[in-house]
Amino acid sequence: MFNKEIEKILPLVQKPARYTGGELNSIIKDKNAVKLRYAFCFPDSYEIGMSHLGIKILYDCANARDDVWCERVFAPWHDMEALMRERNLPLYALESGDPIKEFDLIGFTLMYELCYTNVLNMLDLAGLPIRAADRTDLTPIVIGGGACVCNAEPMAEFFDLLCLGEGEEVFDEVFDLLETAKAEGWSKKKFLQAAAQIEGIYVPALYDVTYHNDGTVAAVTPHDGAPEKVKKLVISDLDRVRYPEKFIVPFIEVVHDRVTHEIMRGCIRGCRFCQAGFLYRPIREKSPDTINDQCKRLCDVTGYDEISLSSLSTSDYTQLETLLDKLLEWTIPEKINIALPSLRVDNFSDSLMEKLNKVRRSGLTFAPEAGTQRLRDAINKNVTEEEVLRTSRKAFAGGWTAVKLYFMLGLPTETLDDVAGIADLGQLVVNEFYRNPDKPKGKGVTVSISVASFVPKPFTPFQWEPQDTREMLLEKQAHLLSNIHTKKINASFHKVDISFLEGVFARGDRRLSKVIEYAWAHGCKFDGWDDSFHFDTWMESFSACGVDPLFYTSRRRSFDEVLPWDHLDYGIRKEFLIREAKKAYESKTTPHCRIHCAGCGADRLNGGKCDAHA
Amino acid sequence: MRTLRVWFQKRGPIRYISHLDLMRTMTRAIRRSGIPLWYTEGFNPHPYMTFALPLSLGMESLCESMDIRIEDDTGEAQILSALQSAMPAGIEITAVKVPVLDPKFIAFAAFDVVFEDVRDSDDFYDKANALLHRDSLVVQKLGKKGHKKVMKDVDLLEHLQSFSLTKDGELLRLQLVLPAGSTTNVNPALLCDELLKLTDGALYRITRTALYTKDMELFA
């Protein structure tokens, strides 16, 4: 609910339902009957945030406790923010309409680097100091979670706590501790020291970072009893972990407006560029029965007519066909569509194709990632040209007329031949369509090539690599376009400026805090949105703060350099990453985890268990 | 297969959802209710659902209706309770009946407007009253000329069928009837925005209370 002052500005903004709450299955509690109020913030628009599965899971977990009321907060869009600031209306939580400044805990999901300025903006809109050191009271405690936490050093000065890994269980301990701290009137300092003892909780203020003269990190030293290494906490049994029985159903259309189901965590593939493939190890699968029951219940309580089975590589789920059989039994009569994102081209069977044909047809998307076999081997994307073509052939025979292919530019060891190879592969797919004798009459084929810029990320074998400069990427984009000779292929590219900034923060350190603060103070927010992105302001911010962004992106790091994230333990051993990096230089592949365990070390987080070699 | 008219109210925060959002909300609510909805035949089956007259974003209403098609002869009372249990907060099903009139016969709508947070309500009442008794009040509204969108002049008072302005303590209440439907449609917000200019810091809430035919017969 919202107050009357908000009501006065709602007629003046676009999509006012972003700011009203009241959606089906949102949770209202008596604020006087709970011990902790938790504002769960998503530093992007309502439409993006409400599409995020993590927020649904953690909202449910937190509200399962009678003593906690968790509410949602999204970044107000430019028009709403301007009016809120003009009228001194503080940022409020959607369920109660209460200002989040009064809450005990404020959480942010850091799902990608370009949301950082929005975090600062939301704290400021709430009426709170943006720097952790300036928030001296015990509450609100500001905590961050999500993929970027694996190196949130650029944001370390703004957060009190960072939660590594999977939040479903860690949060319970944080809630308990904060309740005790409030009841016993602890100082914030005492609370932070105690919180550092929780497995999976990182307290940046308890670590001092020193630097060498060349700018690299000399050491990260814990104090006040904080552990040398903060270990990621993993959920060991996905069948037993809480999964929401209800999803909030937004009134307005959001990006992913459907039942989403996470069928497994982790990925067996070990593609060397893919951070998620390493961060979410070890592999854990959910059983088909659990998924089927949970999907059925979610469809019943939401009324959605689409289910998306999500994971990093859905066709690697061992019982995919069993699961589809179970689902199709009731989804066909109930006219519910099943979407399978993240399918691979190498294990796309005829019977899977047949089952997919029973559901409403959507686009077909594959990710060869690189244009030549040599480069695909170097990045360990174990997909061959023949497999791409065979799958395209099957798809065209099955009636598809559009295929989308994902690639990256700027991969380590890439040459212009590899770039031209992207266009060649696109052409071969087009040819495959015209070779099909049963192709639908009067219909052409569209091959969309979506090309991202490669950004080296922490905890991958490429974490030491230089990132291509903007100039190099633009040259490669032009080279790719000059090699496309048909209108059947359309290519689209990521903005190189945005990739550059993402690269700076992905492997950045604490000295970037002041740059982020400067850029935010000079108007940067919603940086992930092309229309809101002000590259000039960012470059001005780097120079005003005396920070060279190329130090973070263009430099080759040596294997023995202390990395800003070395004190965080995601299970993956550094020796394994070095081994993989060296194999990449020789274009040698590593078989996936089910064929042969490569000894990444992630199973240590799960008592030596990994579903890939169960 | 038979057609039923579902009457409902739309009140509270849900008034901020658009007509398109309401259609999606209703489709999902009907799915949740489990009533035997009839689906169109063809390549991409979808439920048959049609609304009498879309409501502007931001308005509440006591008199919304949508027509749906049911596969079997489930009773109206049973459908009403199944639908109600599946509705989000703010949607109240008031009746499920066999339609009497085609929505094309809708010609007028009645609205109830409340002005709140008016700084000087006596002054506002006098000014509003004077404005409503003028001969004409021409404002610009976005209209269509062919396929192009253009600003058009519209005399709000010429279209105003009837009104009553009353003062209850600090609250000001305006009841009015304006043309509505497919031929001429005048949004009461145009008039309310003009009235709001007579004071500051205030807000208004509009509720659509009834729909009428050209002979002022209730739409049923």
Side-chain angles (χ1 to χ4, degrees):
Chain A
M1 274 308 275
F2 46 91
N3 67 35
K4 217 184 249 181
E5 294 310 310
I6 294 293
E7 187 178 344
K8 285 176 189 169
I9 58 177
L10 288 178
L12 310 175
V13 299
Q14 287 192 327
K15 299 194 192 170
R18 285 166 168 169
Y19 312 110
T20 59
E23 307 94 321
L24 184 81
N25 300 331
S26 56
I27 293 170
I28 303 294
K29 295 188 180 182
D30 174 1
K31 64 177 166 188
N32 299 313
V34 297
K35 288 185 186 155
L36 275 191
R37 297 194 63 186
Y38 174 30
F40 195 172
C41 304
F42 195 90
D44 210 315
S45 72
Y46 178 91
E47 290 91 326
I48 305 285
M50 284 303 293
S51 305
H52 189 258
L53 180 59
I55 209 170
K56 297 179 206 277
I57 293 176
L58 294 173
Y59 180 82
D60 174 76
C61 283
N63 280 317
R65 291 175 62 128
D66 290 334
D67 55 346
V68 176
W69 185 10
C70 170
E71 304 180 45
R72 295 160 300 146
V73 188
F74 301 96
W77 195 246
H78 303 297
D79 57 348
M80 182 68 173
E81 186 198 332
L83 286 163
M84 288 170 74
R85 287 194 185 276
E86 184 189 303
R87 303 187 185 201
N88 287 318
L89 302 173
L91 189 64
Y92 59 94
L94 282 185
E95 278 76 0
S96 64
D98 293 336
I100 65 167
K101 190 182 180 175
E102 300 160 6
F103 282 44
D104 301 301
L105 192 62
I106 297 178
F108 283 94
T109 296
L110 302 176
M111 66 295 168
Y112 68 125
E113 293 82 1
L114 295 163
C115 70
Y116 287 172
T117 50
N118 273 9
V119 173
L120 272 55
N121 202 37
M122 289 172 79
L123 286 172
D124 182 64
L125 255 181
L128 289 164
I130 57 167
R131 289 187 170 262
D134 297 334
R135 296 187 301 264
T136 49
D137 293 345
L138 173 64
T139 61
I141 290 289
V142 178
I143 184 170
C148 287
V149 167
C150 76
N151 181 34
E153 289 302 284
M155 292 293 280
E157 315 240 326
F158 311 116
F159 279 95
D160 298 310
L161 308 178
L162 290 164
C163 174
L164 271 67
E166 300 166 356
E168 284 110 324
E169 284 170 8
V170 186
F171 267 83
D172 266 336
E173 290 188 60
V174 175
F175 292 143
D176 289 340
L177 188 69
L178 191 52
E179 280 180 10
T180 308
K182 270 182 74 181
E184 296 178 2
W186 291 9
S187 68
K188 180 168 175 179
K189 191 169 178 218
K190 184 175 176 187
F191 171 78
L192 292 182
Q193 287 173 7
Q197 303 306 318
I198 298 174
E199 195 173 316
I201 291 294
Y202 168 43
V203 184
L206 300 184
Y207 294 77
D208 291 329
V209 185
T210 50
Y211 302 91
H212 292 299
N213 286 336
D214 65 1
T216 58
V217 174
V220 179
T221 319
H223 54 83
D224 290 306
E228 288 283 330
K229 282 226 168 201
V230 185
K231 211 162 103 187
K232 174 191 167 190
L233 190 88
V234 306
I235 304 295
S236 63
D237 185 351
L238 287 191
D239 279 332
R240 287 227 292 268
V241 74
R242 199 181 158 83
Y243 199 77
E245 297 201 341
K246 291 176 174 181
F247 277 3
I248 293 176
V249 184
F251 288 127
I252 62 172
E253 197 165 13
V254 300
V255 181
H256 296 300
D257 212 0
R258 58 182 80 103
V259 167
T260 309
H261 208 96
E262 184 191 26
I263 61 174
M264 77 181 160
R265 255 176 224 183
C267 180
I268 59 171
R269 294 290 166 170
C271 302
R272 291 176 183 133
F273 55 85
C274 176
Q275 187 183 38
F278 295 102
L279 277 189
Y280 300 123
R281 292 185 176 203
I283 301 282
R284 287 146 294 155
E285 289 196 351
K286 214 174 206 180
S287 76
D289 284 324
T290 310
I291 300 168
N292 186 52
D293 292 348
Q294 291 175 343
C295 283
K296 178 85 179 78
R297 206 172 310 137
L298 280 170
C299 283
D300 287 346
V301 299
T302 59
Y304 276 131
D305 60 0
E306 185 168 50
I307 300 169
S308 172
L309 299 178
S310 102
S311 77
L312 293 169
S313 177
T314 301
S315 40
D316 285 330
Y317 177 72
T318 48
Q319 302 182 68
L320 184 58
E321 298 205 22
T322 314
L323 171 63
L324 281 178
D325 284 336
K326 284 180 195 289
L327 288 170
L328 289 170
E329 216 170 277
W330 57 273
T331 55
I332 289 176
E334 293 188 23
K335 300 180 179 66
I336 291 168
N337 183 34
I338 298 174
L340 296 174
S342 309
L343 289 181
R344 284 180 61 93
V345 285
D346 55 343
N347 55 3
F348 199 91
S349 68
D350 289 325
S351 59
L352 180 59
M353 175 70 79
E354 192 187 315
K355 291 188 174 86
L356 283 182
N357 265 333
K358 290 185 187 163
V359 301
R360 215 183 300 156
R361 183 170 297 170
S362 54
L364 205 56
T365 306
F366 296 118
E369 308 291 3
T372 60
Q373 197 58 45
R374 187 206 62 77
L375 189 53
R376 282 195 294 274
D377 288 347
I379 62 174
N380 205 39
K381 181 85 196 183
N382 288 324
V383 162
T384 64
E385 181 179 295
E386 179 42 36
E387 282 162 345
V388 173
L389 298 182
R390 192 176 58 220
T391 308
S392 306
R393 196 152 54 229
K394 273 185 209 163
F396 294 143
W400 266 272
T401 58
V403 172
K404 190 167 186 180
L405 301 173
Y406 280 111
F407 292 97
M408 274 187 282
L409 282 183
L411 289 162
T413 78
E414 184 179 64
T415 65
L416 286 181
D417 288 343
D418 297 311
V419 175
I422 295 176
D424 297 343
L425 188 56
Q427 185 64 53
L428 289 174
V429 173
V430 170
N431 297 349
E432 212 51 64
F433 177 82
Y434 289 103
R435 204 172 291 158
N436 171 19
D438 306 319
K439 65 173 181 296
K441 284 201 172 53
K443 273 196 177 170
V445 64
T446 312
V447 176
S448 305
I449 293 184
S450 173
V451 189
S453 329
F454 171 63
V455 177
K457 295 275 168 115
F459 296 101
T460 68
F462 293 153
Q463 62 178 355
W464 297 278
E465 296 297 316
Q467 179 177 344
D468 269 8
T469 60
R470 292 181 294 138
E471 295 74 20
M472 289 157 82
L473 286 168
L474 290 173
E475 189 192 322
K476 286 178 177 176
Q477 290 182 359
H479 187 69
L480 171 54
L481 285 175
S482 72
N483 278 280
I484 296 175
H485 306 294
T486 167
K487 290 216 165 89
K488 306 288 177 200
I489 299 178
N490 51 51
S492 60
F493 299 97
H494 276 200
K495 284 240 164 52
V496 296
D497 293 346
I498 291 186
S499 305
F500 172 70
L501 199 65
E502 183 186 336
V504 173
F505 293 126
R507 294 185 293 169
D509 57 38
R510 291 188 181 187
R511 288 169 298 188
L512 288 167
S513 294
K514 57 178 187 288
V515 180
I516 297 172
E517 185 173 354
Y518 185 98
W520 162 72
H522 288 78
C524 289
K525 56 200 169 196
F526 285 105
D527 298 300
W529 297 73
D530 284 356
D531 296 348
S532 309
F533 183 64
H534 303 296
F535 189 61
D536 294 344
T537 313
W538 274 105
M539 292 314 278
E540 182 201 311
S541 307
F542 284 114
S543 84
C545 298
V547 172
D548 176 14
L550 296 176
F551 172 80
Y552 298 101
T553 53
S554 296
R555 188 169 58 89
R556 175 174 294 283
R557 292 151 171 82
S558 75
F559 288 140
D560 51 17
E561 179 177 330
V562 176
L563 301 170
W565 53 92
D566 273 351
H567 56 298
L568 305 182
D569 180 4
Y570 275 78
I572 308 290
R573 287 193 191 94
K574 207 174 198 177
E575 306 82 74
F576 163 76
L577 294 176
I578 294 173
R579 215 157 57 223
E580 284 293 298
K582 289 180 175 165
K583 285 173 90 173
Y585 304 145
E586 298 168 15
S587 300
K588 279 198 182 139
T589 61
T590 297
H592 70 65
C593 304
R594 289 212 183 96
I595 297 174
H596 182 75
C597 173
C600 70
D603 58 341
R604 291 177 301 155
L605 298 175
N606 196 19
K609 255 180 63 201
C610 174
D611 282 359
H613 48 86
Chain B
M1 186 253 291
R2 64 208 177 102
T3 306
L4 290 173
R5 186 159 290 166
V6 178
W7 292 86
F8 60 95
Q9 300 183 344
K10 185 185 179 195
R11 300 169 79 181
I14 203 169
R15 70 182 180 277
Y16 291 105
I17 75 170
S18 69
H19 183 62
L20 215 64
D21 294 331
L22 180 70
M23 292 203 290
R24 204 171 26 242
T25 298
M26 284 299 189
T27 312
R28 286 174 188 155
I30 291 171
R31 289 185 69 94
R32 292 191 295 269
S33 76
I35 62 169
L37 202 64
W38 178 82
Y39 276 75
T40 58
E41 314 276 330
F43 202 66
N44 195 357
H46 58 274
Y48 174 88
M49 197 193 298
T50 168
F51 290 75
L53 187 65
L55 185 69
S56 294
L57 189 149
M59 284 186 201
E60 301 192 322
S61 175
L62 306 179
C63 58
E64 293 307 289
S65 74
M66 62 171 178
D67 294 353
I68 57 172
R69 285 190 185 152
I70 300 297
E71 271 188 341
D72 60 16
D73 54 2
T74 311
E76 278 92 323
Q78 204 182 328
I79 288 175
L80 191 147
S81 75
L83 282 177
Q84 185 56 58
S85 64
M87 287 297 150
I91 303 267
E92 187 83 30
I93 310 289
T94 52
V96 175
K97 292 178 184 167
V98 175
V100 180
L101 289 169
D102 190 292
K104 73 181 177 204
F105 293 115
I106 295 171
F108 297 103
F111 301 93
D112 196 313
V113 188
V114 174
F115 289 85
E116 284 186 28
D117 279 11
V118 176
R119 204 153 293 162
D120 182 345
S121 58
D122 288 326
D123 176 65
F124 180 57
Y125 177 82
D126 292 342
K127 285 178 178 165
N129 215 13
L131 186 111
L132 290 165
H133 282 96
R134 272 165 46 172
D135 288 339
S136 75
L137 176 59
V138 178
V139 299
Q140 290 213 306
K141 78 174 239 193
L142 198 64
K144 274 188 204 152
K145 190 177 179 185
H147 286 293
K148 271 195 285 185
K149 286 197 171 167
V150 290
M151 294 307 286
K152 279 184 176 173
D153 284 343
V154 52
D155 184 351
L156 296 175
L157 297 183
E158 178 198 321
H159 289 293
L160 188 60
Q161 303 299 307
S162 63
F163 74 90
S164 92
L165 183 68
T166 50
K167 201 167 94 65
D168 179 11
E170 294 307 301
L171 289 187
L172 248 84
R173 193 161 167 216
L174 174 67
Q175 288 167 294
L176 67 168
V177 176
L178 284 166
S182 45
T183 41
T184 318
N185 199 66
V186 178
N187 189 329
L190 291 171
L191 185 56
C192 295
D193 285 340
E194 293 302 312
L195 292 171
L196 208 59
K197 289 177 188 165
L198 305 173
T199 174
D200 47 48
L203 68 92
Y204 61 77
R205 291 199 192 104
I206 302 177
T207 306
R208 184 151 80 183
T209 53
L211 295 175
Y212 299 104
T213 64
K214 66 176 180 4
D215 306 319
M216 296 308 280
E217 183 192 342
L218 258 183
F219 173 68

